[in-house]
Amino acid sequence: MNPAEYERMYAQEDTYWWFVGRRRLILGLMQRQFPDRSDLRILDVGCGTGAMSSAMRGLGTVTSADMSPLALRFSSRRGLDRLCCADGVRLPFRSRTFDAVVALDLIEHIPEDFAAVEEFRRVLRPGGCLFATVPAYQFLWSGHDLALMHQRRYTTAQFRRLVSQAGLNVLRLSYAMTALFPLVWLVRLRERRMQEPRSSIRPLPRPLNTALTAVLAAENAWLRHFDLPFGVSVLCVARREDDS
């Protein structure tokens, strides 16, 4: 990812509506999958600047991995100390180590996406789960994707095929960030006319950011029980079933 994007992420990740909504959604799904657990062994792959890793510390022991030393320096500033510089397709951990692997908006960065999901399965214990999000729909491709060095975007059918072929059992698969789809689509169309690729993460007026956060909170409440037919992101929870 462009180094300037890490600066923006670190400055915005605690409060920006997109990050807050995604973080709360994943935490809710993890608590639903592993009720009353505070002893999980969690791997946050592509941890970025560390806000998600920090939020998961109440669920157990979190190891934060990223291939960018700059990202890990930002994570360290959050007080995280279980940090690992690692490539997502060659994780330096023993097989069957983790109860949960969290990969939020990571897999789209990796050229060998199938190898990455296979590697996530390898380090999961039997019964362990992958919690992943990826950007949806190739037609939303814009300068935002170029700035963040994405390789692709996915449909739910494409992501189901990827995860299933890697040997994981899909428990939940849905689009997410649905309520704001029209707004994001318009922003992406505008970004295509920009000469310099830039992400769409920018500071917002506090009332607007609060309103968008509230919209995602309502959507997350729905997603705890039901799937959504379209959206800006794809959400997946998948489990390793066997001990092979």
Side-chain angles (χ1 to χ4, degrees), residues 109-127:
H109 293 272
I110 301 175
E112 301 168 299
D113 56 352
F114 178 72
V117 180
E118 276 195 316
E119 185 71 346
F120 300 161
R121 179 192 178 278
R122 181 186 68 80
V123 301
L124 279 170
R125 294 172 172 173

Side-chain angles (χ1 to χ4, degrees), residues 195-207:
Q195 293 184 352
E196 180 183 354
R198 299 174 62 188
S199 82
S200 56
I201 300 169
R202 293 291 182 275
L204 295 176
R206 182 176 295 180

